[in-house]
Amino acid sequence: MHIVILSGAGISAESGISTFRDSNGLWENHRIEDVASPQGFTRNPQLVLDFYNLRRAQLNEVEPNDAHVALGDLEKLCRVSIITQNVDDLHERGGSTNVLHIHGELRKARSLKTKKVYDCLGDLNVGDFCPDGGQLRPHIVWFGESLPLLSKAEATVSTATEFWIIGTSMQVYPAAGLINSTPFGCKIYYIDPHSAAVKCSDVTTLAEKASVAVRGLVDEKIANI
Ligand code: OAD
């Protein structure tokens, strides 16, 4: 059995991290083109760095919730691969060890010059250079940029026996398109309280919060294996 997870901001909502498109979500209060595009970074780098500095600092204030922890528990039972659109580290802190961050990671930064990636625990500012002389930028995939881990994610999904989509509006491609890489016969679940985004007869929809529905599914697996 190989359970592949595609998670989005909704799985971290109960930990206190805002989603993007719910009411009062991040994209209601910030313009994507200002804070999440290469052009925005060129125009006003410090604004962009501050946006991610705040979000990185928030990681010190939040904890994984029961959905993250349940997925960590699931790993003790069978092969689990997590593909997350989230840039937080709550899956890892919830006990998952096989996590692919397809949209990047807040706790990493990279050189504008060589693209070399570094750990980043504190604030980033204009004038913070790495040893190669390049300005450091957040290790986040911005709109208009390609996803370096996409083919690895597609290959992972193509070997899934079950595909669990958790807490994502499925509006952002290519991440949302990963559902098309599931192999024939793969069981697909979609866990989201506003689960209208996936309307497909062979998808089992659980319109509940992640902490409840993921824990329920994991308990079901534990009982049946
Ligand atoms: P969205 O904000 O688009 O969607 C969040 C989803 O989480 C919605 O469908 C909510 O209904 C659901 N949700 C809210 N609370 C939940 C809960 N307690 N349990 C389960 N689900 C819940 O966030 P994403 O789909 O993750 O990209 O957004 C995808 C990408 O768009 C992000 O990775 C980000 C953003 O622009 C980049 O920044 C590159």
Side-chain angles (χ1 to χ4, degrees):
M1 182 180 300
H2 181 202
I3 299 182
V4 178
I5 311 292
L6 174 65
S7 67
I11 198 170
S12 297
E14 290 166 80
S15 294
I17 299 181
S18 293
T19 61
F20 295 94
R21 297 176 182 80
D22 288 309
S23 70
N24 210 28
L26 279 170
W27 294 155
E28 206 170 278
N29 301 311
H30 303 271
R31 280 158 38 105
I32 290 179
E33 51 274 39
D34 287 342
V35 298
S37 76
Q39 295 79 6
F41 188 66
T42 304
R43 265 197 311 275
N44 190 342
Q46 194 61 51
L47 177 87
V48 177
L49 294 176
D50 286 341
F51 175 73
Y52 291 101
N53 286 343
L54 266 179
R55 300 185 61 210
R56 191 178 306 105
Q58 189 191 23
L59 295 185
N60 299 323
E61 317 292 323
V62 298
E63 297 292 337
N65 63 58
D66 204 36
H68 300 105
V69 175
L71 293 177
D73 293 345
L74 186 65
E75 221 180 83
K76 294 171 199 141
L77 204 72
C78 62
R79 183 172 166 214
V80 180
S81 301
I82 298 196
I83 300 168
T84 187
Q85 298 166 84
N86 298 344
V87 294
D88 64 52
D89 56 358
L90 295 180
H91 278 301
E92 288 87 345
R93 284 160 60 195
S96 294
T97 59
N98 185 18
V99 186
L100 212 54
H101 285 271
I102 54 174
H103 287 169
E105 293 176 68
L106 278 171
R107 286 194 155 144
K108 290 194 175 151
R110 70 171 183 266
S111 164
L112 271 185
K113 202 166 164 183
T114 58
K115 300 190 175 164
K116 190 163 184 253
V117 178
Y118 297 85
D119 287 335
C120 173
L121 298 181
D123 285 355
L124 282 179
N125 291 296
V126 171
D128 286 348
F129 296 106
C130 40
D132 64 30
Q135 166 71 44
L136 283 167
R137 62 158 272 182
H139 187 51
I140 303 283
V141 175
W142 288 327
F143 284 86
E145 295 184 320
S146 60
L147 273 65
L149 295 175
L150 181 62
S151 37
K152 194 169 177 193
E154 285 168 344
T156 302
V157 176
S158 74
T159 65
T161 51
E162 295 195 9
F163 186 55
W164 300 4
I165 304 165
I166 308 170
T168 170
S169 60
M170 296 290 270
Q171 287 190 37
V172 173
Y173 284 79
L178 284 169
I179 191 173
N180 299 320
S181 294
T182 51
F184 181 74
C186 177
K187 174 100 187 141
I188 305 177
Y189 293 93
Y190 181 42
I191 295 170
D192 194 301
H194 307 111
S195 53
V198 177
K199 292 191 208 80
C200 196
S201 58
D202 49 3
V203 174
T204 303
T205 294
L206 304 173
E208 283 179 290
K209 288 183 170 182
S211 60
V212 175
V214 177
R215 176 53 78 188
L217 258 190
V218 169
D219 285 350
E220 201 180 299
K221 295 291 147 200
I222 291 172
N224 289 322
I225 284 183

